[in-house]
Amino acid sequence: MNSAPLRTCFAAMTIAYAVGWTAAADDDEHRFLEWKAGVAKAVITPETPVWLAGYGSKRPPDGKLHELWMKALALEDSRGQRAVLITSDFQGVPKSMSDRVFSQLKAKHHLDRAQVMFTFSHNHCGPRLGDDLVDYYPVEAEQVVLVNEYTDRMVDKTVALVGEALAALSPAQLQTGTGICTFAVNRRNNREADVPALLAAGTPLVGPVDHSVPVLSVTRPDGTLAAILFGYACHPTTLSFFTWCGDYPGFAQLELERNHPGATAMFVNTCGGDQNPLPRRTVELCQKYGHMLAAAVEEALQQPLPPVSSGLQTAFQYVELPYLKVVTRDELTALTKDANAIRARWADRLLKKLDAGEQFEAAYPYPIHAWRLGREMLVIGMGAETVVDYALRFKHEFGPGTWVCGYADDMISYIPSRRVWQEGGYEGGSNLYEYGRPAFRWDGSIEDRIAATVHKLAKQVRE
Ligand SMILES: [Zn+2]
């Protein structure tokens, strides 16, 4: 799908694909027996000078535009099956952090890994976390302590937040629809500097994009809106200054919460690994994109949204993604004085691991979720920075009602499709060192391996 020339947001016609939208759903009493939902939110804005994450540089905070948030939506079907979706304004959650959350949720709330998805918006005006992008930033001992302390606090806060969402489970109706919003630009196919002139001239931008805005509303029996979950495929990189804020998803959520007092707005980054909000770099543009996205959600909400029928099934699996070639001691030694500071820090750190007797793994365990909500929704959750091809492919293969969420559970690296891998470049080429992986590139089988597992899990939850 090529990017549309229109630069405004408008709601797509709601697709009446809800085969389960039967007479039962028109019965008010009955429809609120099918689901329970619980919502909770917590401020995560750091109180210590943890640096802002992303962009590969030292960014000490100089204030905030608005608070940063973590939010949880707990769902329970009529048979008592549960799942919890966590959304957050974090840039990247590392495996070492989410694993601690998952094991505590298992112990405290008996939630299996298949029942919890821990997503992050990839907000570049959010804080650093533990082992995420460790070689990306200059190493300062005091900062290491602050980041680790903050990460520990966030593990506790996430576990408590999920507990609150579970405790708040009460009858609700779920409804789903789709809007359209057009500010995301394929950054591989359009030079950032060229975009303003192309737009002014009305020249269509090129390259695959996913401008759809999936929406899920959660309504209480008295008609009040409890939660609005929505997604968009685009990097939250409008801003690169040193001030805490949620970038465009932060502004979109604030606007929706202002429009619907008492409701919690939640954002998931669908597959925006190769998508940027262009043009960018001003607060005005960031607010504009947030408003465009909120308007797309509002227009979707004004449609007669089909209810989500009862029935929750969840599945989870790691798939091993092999590296093309694991880096050698000789290669690392040659890079310790590299002009690229990130590469030099990476080589130095990995050499120390080899010196300590560690052996590098030849593959990385990649997390994949599939959740089925009624007959209307299939939610695929994928780790890390998935490029837009994955969303377009799986939505085509699984049909309407499919959500493809990236940035779940583990930051890892870019996850190129076969096309992007073959093209190379930033998201497909030899850049795994930036993320601390012991290799430069993924093996070219990456998309096939991921797709095979997604299909297996989707079949499992649909049976
Ligand atoms: Zn990114």
Side-chain angles (χ1 to χ4, degrees), residues 122 124 235 385 407 414:
H122 195 45
H124 280 48
H235 262 65
E385 304 213 49
Y407 299 95
Y414 282 102

mmCIF file of all heavy atoms in Angstrom, residues 122 124 235 385 407 414, ligand 1:
data_model
loop_
_atom_site.group_PDB
_atom_site.id
_atom_site.type_symbol
_atom_site.label_atom_id
_atom_site.label_comp_id
_atom_site.label_asym_id
_atom_site.label_seq_id
_atom_site.Cartn_x
_atom_site.Cartn_y
_atom_site.Cartn_z
ATOM 1 N N HIS A 122 7.891 3.281 22.131
ATOM 2 C CA HIS A 122 9.163 3.623 21.476
ATOM 3 C C HIS A 122 9.351 5.142 21.459
ATOM 4 O O HIS A 122 10.005 5.701 20.596
ATOM 5 C CB HIS A 122 9.224 3.024 20.061
ATOM 6 C CG HIS A 122 10.594 3.009 19.471
ATOM 7 N ND1 HIS A 122 11.708 2.600 20.166
ATOM 8 C CD2 HIS A 122 11.055 3.341 18.222
ATOM 9 C CE1 HIS A 122 12.765 2.688 19.382
ATOM 10 N NE2 HIS A 122 12.402 3.138 18.201
ATOM 11 N N HIS A 124 10.809 8.543 22.049
ATOM 12 C CA HIS A 124 12.196 9.008 22.200
ATOM 13 C C HIS A 124 12.327 10.195 23.151
ATOM 14 O O HIS A 124 13.406 10.774 23.262
ATOM 15 C CB HIS A 124 12.788 9.341 20.835
ATOM 16 C CG HIS A 124 13.251 8.128 20.073
ATOM 17 N ND1 HIS A 124 12.473 6.999 19.938
ATOM 18 C CD2 HIS A 124 14.420 7.859 19.427
ATOM 19 C CE1 HIS A 124 13.142 6.095 19.218
ATOM 20 N NE2 HIS A 124 14.329 6.586 18.906
ATOM 21 N N HIS A 235 7.198 5.789 14.215
ATOM 22 C CA HIS A 235 8.122 6.116 15.303
ATOM 23 C C HIS A 235 7.665 7.364 16.063
ATOM 24 O O HIS A 235 7.375 8.378 15.417
ATOM 25 C CB HIS A 235 9.512 6.430 14.722
ATOM 26 C CG HIS A 235 10.470 5.297 14.778
ATOM 27 N ND1 HIS A 235 10.278 4.137 14.068
ATOM 28 C CD2 HIS A 235 11.627 5.141 15.467
ATOM 29 C CE1 HIS A 235 11.288 3.323 14.312
ATOM 30 N NE2 HIS A 235 12.124 3.893 15.157
ATOM 31 N N GLU A 385 11.453 -3.769 16.914
ATOM 32 C CA GLU A 385 11.126 -2.751 15.914
ATOM 33 C C GLU A 385 10.747 -3.383 14.578
ATOM 34 O O GLU A 385 11.527 -3.376 13.629
ATOM 35 C CB GLU A 385 12.319 -1.823 15.726
ATOM 36 C CG GLU A 385 12.793 -1.174 17.022
ATOM 37 C CD GLU A 385 13.333 0.210 16.775
ATOM 38 O OE1 GLU A 385 12.648 0.990 16.098
ATOM 39 O OE2 GLU A 385 14.433 0.497 17.250
ATOM 40 N N TYR A 407 6.935 -3.750 19.046
ATOM 41 C CA TYR A 407 7.403 -3.156 20.297
ATOM 42 C C TYR A 407 6.755 -3.817 21.523
ATOM 43 O O TYR A 407 6.285 -3.138 22.426
ATOM 44 C CB TYR A 407 7.164 -1.643 20.302
ATOM 45 C CG TYR A 407 7.909 -0.938 19.175
ATOM 46 C CD1 TYR A 407 7.292 -0.655 17.958
ATOM 47 C CD2 TYR A 407 9.256 -0.595 19.322
ATOM 48 C CE1 TYR A 407 7.977 -0.036 16.921
ATOM 49 C CE2 TYR A 407 9.948 0.033 18.285
ATOM 50 C CZ TYR A 407 9.296 0.314 17.100
ATOM 51 O OH TYR A 407 9.975 0.927 16.074
ATOM 52 N N TYR A 414 16.046 -3.682 15.224
ATOM 53 C CA TYR A 414 15.106 -3.675 14.101
ATOM 54 C C TYR A 414 14.818 -5.107 13.691
ATOM 55 O O TYR A 414 15.677 -5.980 13.789
ATOM 56 C CB TYR A 414 15.678 -2.899 12.909
ATOM 57 C CG TYR A 414 15.550 -1.432 13.154
ATOM 58 C CD1 TYR A 414 16.650 -0.683 13.557
ATOM 59 C CD2 TYR A 414 14.322 -0.805 13.058
ATOM 60 C CE1 TYR A 414 16.527 0.659 13.843
ATOM 61 C CE2 TYR A 414 14.185 0.543 13.348
ATOM 62 C CZ TYR A 414 15.289 1.260 13.741
ATOM 63 O OH TYR A 414 15.154 2.583 14.052
HETATM 64 ZN ZN ZN B 1 13.470 2.906 16.391
#
